[in-house]
Amino acid sequence: MQQYTARGVHGQTVELLAQRIVTGQLSEGAILDLTALQSEFDVSLTVLREALRVLAAKGMVDARPKRGTFVRPRAAWSLLDADVLRWQFARAHRPGLFDDLHELRSIVEPGAASLAAARATEEDLAALDAALEDMAAAGADPLAAVAADLAFHRALLAATHNELIQRMEVVIETGLAERDRMVHGADGPTDPVPSHKAVVDGIRRHNPAQAARAMRKLLDQAIEDVARLERTPREDRQD
C-alpha cells in the first residue's frame, strides 16, 4: 500500500493542510491565503507550494489565474488514494464512512475467501497461518493486533491471485487499520483468532462456500465489535 511518506516540515505541512480540507475547515471552493498560511505554519513559500502540489496531485486543491489556489469539490478528490483514505478515516469526519467500509468488505471479502479456497497455494496458506500465529501472540498489545489483522487480510486478497481484487487492499487496509486501532484500543476486544481461523479452515479444505460463509460471520463480528465500542462510555476506554 503506497502512501505519502515525506517527513519533516514538508510532510507536516501536507498533513496539516489535508486535515483542514477533510474536516471542512477549508471548505470546498475556499481560496487559500498562501501568505497567511505561510506565516501561520512558519514555513517558506517553497515548502508551502510543494505541499500544495502533493494535494493537487490527489485532486484536493487546484490553482487558476486570477482565482488563486482553492479547495476542489470532494467529487474531484482521488478518493481511492491511500493518503486521502487515511486522512478521512483518521478524522472520522463523515458520518457513515465506516458503514461504507463494511459494505465494501461485505461485497469483496466473502468472494475473495471463496476464490482463495479454489486457488490458494501452500505459500498463501503459510502466509495466512503466520498471520494467525501473530494474531494469537499479540494478546493485549493493540499495535501487534492491528499489524496481524492487516497481514491476514492482505494475505487473503493475495491468495485470490486476481490482481484487481488485490488492489482493493488500498481501500480495505486503510479503513481497516483505523477501525482496528479503535477496537483493539478498547477494553476486552473479542478474540479475533477463532473467526479468522474459520476462514483459513475453509480455504485449506478448498471449500469456497465454507470459506465465504466464515468470512461473512467474521464481518458480522466486526460490526458487533464497533457497535460495542460505540456503546462503551468514552471514559471507560483505554487511551
Side-chain angles (χ1 to χ4, degrees):
M1 180 174 60
Q2 297 298 316
Q3 289 189 351
Y4 180 71
T5 57
R7 298 181 180 179
V9 175
H10 175 49
Q12 292 171 5
T13 304
V14 172
E15 294 289 325
L16 285 170
L17 287 169
Q19 289 172 16
R20 292 190 181 188
I21 291 171
V22 299
T23 59
Q25 187 175 349
L26 288 172
S27 59
E28 295 182 4
I31 306 299
L32 277 60
D33 185 336
L34 301 192
T35 301
L37 288 172
Q38 181 187 354
S39 176
E40 179 186 353
F41 295 163
D42 192 22
V43 297
S44 69
L45 187 57
T46 298
V47 167
L48 183 58
R49 284 176 171 166
E50 288 177 351
L52 289 170
R53 275 196 287 271
V54 172
L55 297 179
K58 299 176 184 296
M60 299 177 75
V61 300
D62 201 357
R64 291 285 186 272
K66 299 183 179 180
R67 182 177 179 182
T69 303
F70 59 94
V71 178
R72 299 186 72 192
R74 178 184 168 80
W77 300 359
S78 300
L79 292 176
L80 297 185
D81 177 272
D83 287 310
V84 177
L85 284 165
R86 175 172 58 84
W87 291 325
Q88 293 182 89
F89 279 111
R91 302 302 300 182
H93 77 292
R94 187 169 70 82
L97 194 58
F98 282 100
D99 291 337
D100 287 354
L101 173 65
H102 177 73
E103 288 178 356
L104 175 66
R105 293 183 66 196
S106 296
I107 293 169
V108 173
E109 291 194 289
S114 179
L115 278 178
R119 300 175 179 177
T121 64
E122 289 302 317
E123 291 77 10
D124 294 325
L125 287 168
L128 288 164
D129 287 339
L132 282 177
E133 291 173 4
D134 290 344
M135 204 175 288
D141 182 344
L143 292 179
V146 170
D149 194 38
L150 295 181
F152 178 91
H153 291 277
R154 191 181 307 120
L156 173 69
L157 296 181
T160 67
H161 294 274
N162 180 307
E163 289 187 346
L164 296 181
I165 291 176
Q166 290 176 46
R167 295 301 183 270
M168 296 305 296
E169 170 193 336
V170 173
V171 182
I172 291 175
E173 185 169 335
T174 304
L176 187 59
E178 286 301 323
R179 176 259 175 205
D180 279 356
R181 289 187 187 103
M182 292 192 307
V183 170
H184 291 292
D187 289 327
T190 302
D191 181 2
V193 175
S195 58
H196 288 74
K197 185 178 183 301
V199 176
V200 177
D201 287 344
I203 294 172
R204 178 167 278 110
R205 292 170 182 167
H206 303 291
N207 188 322
Q210 179 184 348
R213 185 166 56 250
M215 178 55 70
R216 283 191 286 270
K217 289 183 179 179
L218 187 157
L219 292 172
D220 288 343
Q221 183 61 60
I223 291 178
E224 176 54 32
D225 285 342
V226 173
R228 175 174 48 79
L229 179 63
E230 291 174 345
R231 292 193 298 267
T232 302
R234 183 174 297 274
E235 59 270 18
D236 292 341
R237 302 178 192 173
Q238 293 179 350
D239 294 333

